[in-house]
Amino acid sequence: MQKENCRPDGRELGEFRATTVNIGSITTADGSALVKLGNTTVICGVKAELAAPALDSANKGYIVPNVELPSLCSTRFRSGPPGEEAQAASQFIADVIENSQIIAKEDLCIADGKLAWVLYCDIICLDYDGNILDASTFALLAALKNVQLPSVTINEETGLSEVNLKQKNPLVIRKHPVATSFAIFDDTLLIVDPTAEEEDLATGTVTVVTDEDDRLCSVHKPGGSPLTGAKLQDCISRAITRHKEVKKLIDKVIKSIKPK
Amino acid sequence: MVLLPRPTPGPVPSAGPSSSLSRCPRIPSPGGTLSPLPGDTSVLAGLYGPAEVKGSRESPDGATVEVLLRPKVGLPGVAERSREQLLRRTFEAVLLGSLHPRTSITVVLQVLSDAGSLLACCLNAACMGLLDAGLPLSSLFCGVTCALDPHGDIILDPTARQEQEAHAVLTFAIDSAQRKVLATTTRGSCSAEEMQRCLVAAQRAADTIFQFYRDCVQRKYSKS
């Protein structure tokens, strides 16, 4: 692969797999999205519930992501409690949400100190073929754009909340973070969007998350082969280019499902 | 036991990191233990290995590295797992595991106190532990935390308060061979230029930390 600059599936070193996204497929969820990056299939469902805000941040709601890598997606995962990879992925998504400020938690608050929305974002992998972080971030972003929250008012006399399911508002998405993952081979070769086979053979991985202002929301390099600052900069530049492609795709899909 | 004078924690301008207090106790059972304390953050690292590994986790190619990070209070959660993965992959990159196939090397990190720059402290403690245990390494590594304050200045080894007020906190694991980046994790958002500036500052600070390792090891062997 190194000599011919070509990968087992015929892609260039800097080429992504075909990305497809399907929004709103789960009607029982408040928002959902299915993302396919080549064979890697990830679905994200968002459920909104009501809860009292935390005591130290009375004007903020909650966003709770959870990434599941069930045994159905790959033989490498056994059923039972979440393994290290699923937990690390969940933490990564939580960090991306926090760092990028994709949704301001203040927007989720309905009544200070009394009522706020909790968004449970369940990201489930249906088919594992590498690059789970990119697919999960994309699925989360698409699902959140699809979320319609019913309007909630607090009845002054009874103090109870009244949910109006007929009147729904979309979430205000402040930023659009997009993740780009690279696999490192022997300190020198960097390939974009690794498949499961390439990830197993790689000596390290890097994931760069950028938003539309070209700011870095996360540079996630969990160990692995060392990289120079220049190589890291190359990754960042590639990530910024990828962001534009993904943003165009998401905008196209959202426009195509205008509410009836 | 050797004690170094410790400065009071406070805002540190972009000079080197605050000098560390280090105690090198002799605990017989683990292979190596060390607890460096930048400011008031302290982590105890215990190393066990190369030791026997149970059945399925045995690898014929090299040693199986396991990392256990225990927070000061509470049970380890998802955040600790994510850190353990980062630490484990960093150690695997520098350990010459192929010299000890079908064995396990366990690194247990216990957080004693956290006043900022925790991940960097864990990295430093673990590296010194690996040195103390005498495991074969291709290079040393160190952890450096950079915080970007609202004015855009870089603060190295930030305290917990500085971390909270900063709009971005970046932690780098730098290797000793060519000052390349072994691991990085960020909190908050920053521009690509800011990240490069922090990386350069971290690489310079790494020199001070490697000198500190050298002094520590020299002291340990000169008294015996």
Side-chain angles (χ1 to χ4, degrees), chain B residues 93-177:
Chain B
V94 295
L95 264 173
L96 297 170
S98 47
L99 290 175
H100 298 283
R102 289 188 305 281
T103 62
S104 82
I105 295 173
T106 311
V107 183
V108 181
L109 295 160
Q110 173 66 55
V111 178
L112 299 172
S113 65
D114 180 8
S117 308
L118 182 64
L119 184 60
C121 193
C122 292
L123 282 160
N124 294 334
C127 185
M128 294 185 82
L130 285 165
L131 270 175
D132 196 31
L135 288 166
L137 303 171
S138 62
S139 77
L140 298 180
F141 58 92
C142 72
V144 184
T145 313
C146 305
L148 281 165
D149 75 1
H151 305 288
D153 295 327
I154 301 175
I155 304 173
L156 288 171
D157 261 359
T159 60
R161 234 208 29 198
Q162 285 168 332
E163 279 187 352
Q164 280 228 320
E165 290 167 4
H167 70 82
V169 178
L170 300 92
T171 306
F172 297 103
I174 313 268
D175 82 347
S176 63

Side-chain angles (χ1 to χ4, degrees), chain A residues 84-85 87-88 90-91 99 187 205 214-229 232-233 236, chain B residues 78-79 81-82 85-86 88-90 93 167 175 180-192 195-196 199:
Chain A
E84 185 200 75
E85 187 158 358
Q87 295 199 45
S90 297
Q91 184 61 39
N99 293 344
D187 300 11
T205 57
D214 293 346
R215 287 183 71 82
L216 301 171
C217 304
S218 174
V219 178
H220 179 74
K221 184 183 186 300
S225 289
L227 280 182
T228 57
L232 215 52
Q233 188 54 43
I236 295 172
Chain B
V78 180
R81 277 271 174 276
S82 168
Q85 187 197 55
L86 183 142
R88 183 174 53 81
R89 291 203 192 161
T90 312
H167 70 82
D175 82 347
K180 286 192 192 173
V181 178
L182 272 169
T184 147
T185 182
T186 62
R187 193 179 67 76
S189 70
C190 62
S191 70
M195 200 217 77
Q196 288 295 338
L199 179 56

Side-chain angles (χ1 to χ4, degrees), chain A residues 96-127:
Chain A
V96 167
I97 293 173
E98 182 68 40
N99 293 344
S100 64
Q101 291 290 298
I102 180 174
I103 292 179
K105 293 201 179 142
E106 288 81 359
D107 290 345
L108 294 174
C109 183
I110 302 163
D112 262 30
K114 288 194 222 141
L115 207 60
W117 284 111
V118 185
L119 293 175
Y120 289 106
C121 310
D122 295 311
I123 301 168
I124 300 166
C125 178
L126 300 172
D127 192 352

Side-chain angles (χ1 to χ4, degrees), chain A residues 23-236:
Chain A
I23 295 192
S25 38
I26 307 179
T27 48
T28 47
D30 295 297
S32 63
L34 174 79
V35 168
K36 276 173 83 84
L37 262 177
N39 285 330
T40 300
T41 311
V42 165
I43 187 156
C44 174
V46 180
K47 287 288 279 179
E49 290 183 10
L50 293 168
L55 289 168
D56 52 357
S57 38
N59 62 343
K60 292 190 179 164
Y62 309 87
I63 309 177
V64 182
N66 183 38
V67 176
E68 254 180 62
L69 297 171
S71 50
L72 106 89
C73 67
S74 167
T75 49
R76 67 181 74 198
F77 304 118
R78 296 219 192 96
S79 48
E84 185 200 75
E85 187 158 358
Q87 295 199 45
S90 297
Q91 184 61 39
F92 173 79
I93 298 289
D95 289 341
V96 167
I97 293 173
E98 182 68 40
N99 293 344
S100 64
Q101 291 290 298
I102 180 174
I103 292 179
K105 293 201 179 142
E106 288 81 359
D107 290 345
L108 294 174
C109 183
I110 302 163
D112 262 30
K114 288 194 222 141
L115 207 60
W117 284 111
V118 185
L119 293 175
Y120 289 106
C121 310
D122 295 311
I123 301 168
I124 300 166
C125 178
L126 300 172
D127 192 352
Y128 185 92
D129 193 21
N131 205 0
I132 199 75
L133 297 178
D134 285 11
S136 304
T137 322
F138 192 1
L140 177 76
L141 177 62
L144 286 173
K145 288 207 85 135
N146 179 235
V147 166
Q148 300 275 346
L149 288 179
S151 50
V152 181
T153 46
I154 298 205
N155 191 322
E156 301 265 324
E157 298 136 12
T158 59
L160 294 171
S161 55
E162 285 166 9
V163 179
N164 185 351
L165 287 168
K166 301 230 175 38
Q167 191 189 26
K168 292 203 175 186
N169 315 305
L171 278 177
V172 177
I173 308 285
R174 305 262 166 131
K175 298 284 168 128
H176 298 77
V178 170
T180 311
S181 295
F182 304 82
I184 311 167
F185 286 86
D186 293 332
D187 300 11
T188 45
L189 203 60
L190 276 170
I191 60 173
V192 121
D193 190 14
T195 59
E197 189 191 339
E198 288 163 352
E199 269 182 0
D200 287 339
L201 296 169
T203 50
T205 57
V206 188
T207 306
V208 178
V209 182
T210 51
D211 69 12
E212 58 265 47
D213 302 322
D214 293 346
R215 287 183 71 82
L216 301 171
C217 304
S218 174
V219 178
H220 179 74
K221 184 183 186 300
S225 289
L227 280 182
T228 57
K231 278 257 183 261
L232 215 52
Q233 188 54 43
D234 287 339
C235 296
I236 295 172

Side-chain angles (χ1 to χ4, degrees), chain B residues 30-53:
Chain B
T33 55
L34 227 44
S35 53
L37 306 90
D40 281 317
T41 309
S42 69
V43 173
L44 187 67
L47 262 121
Y48 302 79
E52 198 187 302
V53 62

